[in-house]
Amino acid sequence: METQVMKLASQKAVVIFSKTSCCMSHTIKSLFYDLGVSPAVYELDEISNGREIERALQKLGCNPSVPAVFIGGQLIHNSTSTVMSLHLSGSLIPMLKRAGAIWL
């Protein structure tokens, strides 16, 4: 299942594994949308193999399992705090540009 997660994570410049009931997932998605990114979003509580994907994310080091953010196919560990820190330091937008998620 970890291989499947990595395959999903590499299909778009930004991929977010989320749950509809998670406020931090909502915050992360909103940030990317506000930056003009169109991420692939997988709502684990709405897809049939969501529990298996969640367990695979945990095996990959995601704790908590959501939100799990991949940029350019690379897992951003401790996704919420790391993404916010990258954004506040001015490093997120260049990272998104390098991944091809935004162009301006």
Side-chain angles (χ1 to χ4, degrees):
M1 184 56 74
E2 291 89 0
T3 304
Q4 182 182 355
V5 168
M6 295 308 293
K7 185 176 180 182
L8 290 171
S10 65
Q11 290 182 345
K12 255 192 131 175
V14 176
V15 176
I16 302 171
F17 293 93
S18 174
K19 285 187 178 178
T20 58
S21 59
C22 175
C23 64
M24 297 313 289
S25 292
H26 175 75
T27 300
I28 289 294
K29 290 182 289 188
S30 294
L31 172 64
F32 283 111
Y33 292 137
D34 288 348
L35 293 174
V37 175
S38 296
V41 177
Y42 296 95
E43 299 290 359
L44 300 184
D45 53 345
E46 292 185 342
I47 56 177
S48 60
N49 61 344
R51 286 193 186 273
E52 292 83 18
I53 291 174
E54 187 170 6
R55 282 193 289 275
L57 289 167
Q58 290 169 336
K59 287 181 182 177
L60 290 170
C62 298
N63 187 16
S65 58
V66 294
V69 177
F70 290 79
I71 298 175
Q74 298 297 311
L75 173 63
I76 306 300
H77 287 281
N78 301 317
S79 292
T80 302
S81 61
T82 303
V83 168
M84 292 302 184
S85 294
L86 288 167
H87 181 54
L88 292 172
S89 72
S91 302
L92 182 60
I93 288 176
M95 181 184 286
L96 293 170
K97 286 179 181 176
R98 283 192 302 276
I102 55 175
W103 294 271
L104 300 175

